[in-house]
Amino acid sequence: MIFNFLIVSDEVDDFRREIAIDSEATFLDLQNAILDSVGYTRTELTSFFLCDEDWRKGQEITLMEMDTAADQDSYVMDETRLEEFIEDEHQRLVFEFDLMSERYFFIEVMDIVPGKSLAEPKLLTSEGQPPRQTSLDDLMDPTADPAKPAKGLDLGEDFFGDTEYNEDELDRDGFEGFDEITPDMVDNY
């Protein structure tokens, strides 16, 4: 069976990718096909989320094993086949390609072709430029490409607050007993 996925972005209006992939492929195969279709590196953490018809996120399928609550099933992309979760045409998913800034591609199953198979994913349609991929380096240096400023953390001089330290401004609640620590005690620790 073959799944045909439509991939769009809420950041770029004319961006559109369509990918055909075998139902026995893994979510990692789909991730790699998506990243290849947009020219992104494979160095960032990513996740898929199954969604309802209103795009509310449900089950997560992660790139690597994450610590989750014991009552929640954990799925990893390279161990999870598409056919385990993809059941219907128009089923929706989101692919979170930028965890730091919570940026997504929206994915919908456009067609399911029974009785066929594909050895490799196939890019069917490529329209528009994808949103710019940001990396951790971009977040730390938002001036890396002034023509295309990165969405990310503003680590300017005010990020950590005032540069002047005033011990009288410290809230002493929760620090009981620390007044009794002497420099000798710290050196012996």
Side-chain angles (χ1 to χ4, degrees):
M1 184 168 18
I2 297 173
F3 297 133
N4 291 333
F5 291 103
L6 171 64
I7 301 152
V8 297
S9 168
D10 63 348
E11 296 178 41
V12 181
D13 291 334
D14 65 345
F15 169 79
R16 175 187 175 105
R17 298 291 187 272
E18 290 182 38
I19 294 176
I21 190 168
D22 197 85
S23 63
E24 293 183 8
T26 65
F27 277 87
L28 182 63
D29 296 326
L30 178 59
Q31 176 215 246
N32 292 340
I34 293 169
L35 295 177
D36 290 347
S37 79
V38 295
Y40 288 1
T41 64
R42 297 181 186 178
T43 58
E44 304 299 319
L45 286 176
T46 59
S47 284
F48 284 97
F49 292 89
L50 302 175
C51 295
D52 66 12
E53 61 189 28
D54 295 318
W55 297 102
R56 286 186 294 260
K57 294 190 294 187
Q59 179 64 54
E60 181 178 17
I61 301 152
T62 58
L63 181 59
M64 59 180 50
E65 185 70 40
M66 303 287 190
D67 289 331
T68 59
D71 63 335
Q72 198 174 30
D73 290 333
S74 175
Y75 296 95
V76 180
M77 287 184 204
D78 68 343
E79 299 172 357
T80 309
R81 300 207 176 281
L82 296 171
E83 64 191 357
E84 294 177 46
F85 287 102
I86 306 301
E87 300 170 350
D88 302 309
E89 287 183 5
H90 305 294
Q91 187 169 342
R92 294 179 171 185
L93 307 98
V94 292
F95 175 61
E96 187 171 14
F97 62 88
D98 184 343
L99 274 68
M100 296 294 287
S101 300
E102 294 186 2
R103 297 169 66 211
Y104 304 93
F105 286 131
F106 295 86
I107 304 171
E108 186 170 349
V109 179
M110 297 308 292
D111 194 21
I112 297 176
V113 183
K116 302 269 185 180
S117 65
L118 277 176
E120 296 289 325
K122 184 176 180 183
L123 181 61
L124 303 174
T125 302
S126 178
E127 297 174 3
Q129 293 297 313
R132 180 175 175 264
Q133 182 183 30
T134 56
S135 68
L136 188 54
D137 291 338
D138 291 332
L139 294 174
M140 301 310 271
D141 182 12
T143 61
D145 183 359
K148 296 179 182 177
K151 287 183 171 183
L153 298 175
D154 178 9
L155 296 179
E157 61 186 31
D158 294 330
F159 178 76
F160 293 104
D162 292 336
T163 56
E164 295 182 25
Y165 172 75
N166 184 346
E167 188 174 326
D168 295 332
E169 292 177 357
L170 286 177
D171 183 4
R172 296 283 180 196
D173 290 342
F175 290 98
E176 294 86 15
F178 285 107
D179 291 339
E180 300 164 7
I181 296 176
T182 65
D184 295 341
M185 297 169 109
V186 174
D187 290 337
N188 291 331
Y189 182 68

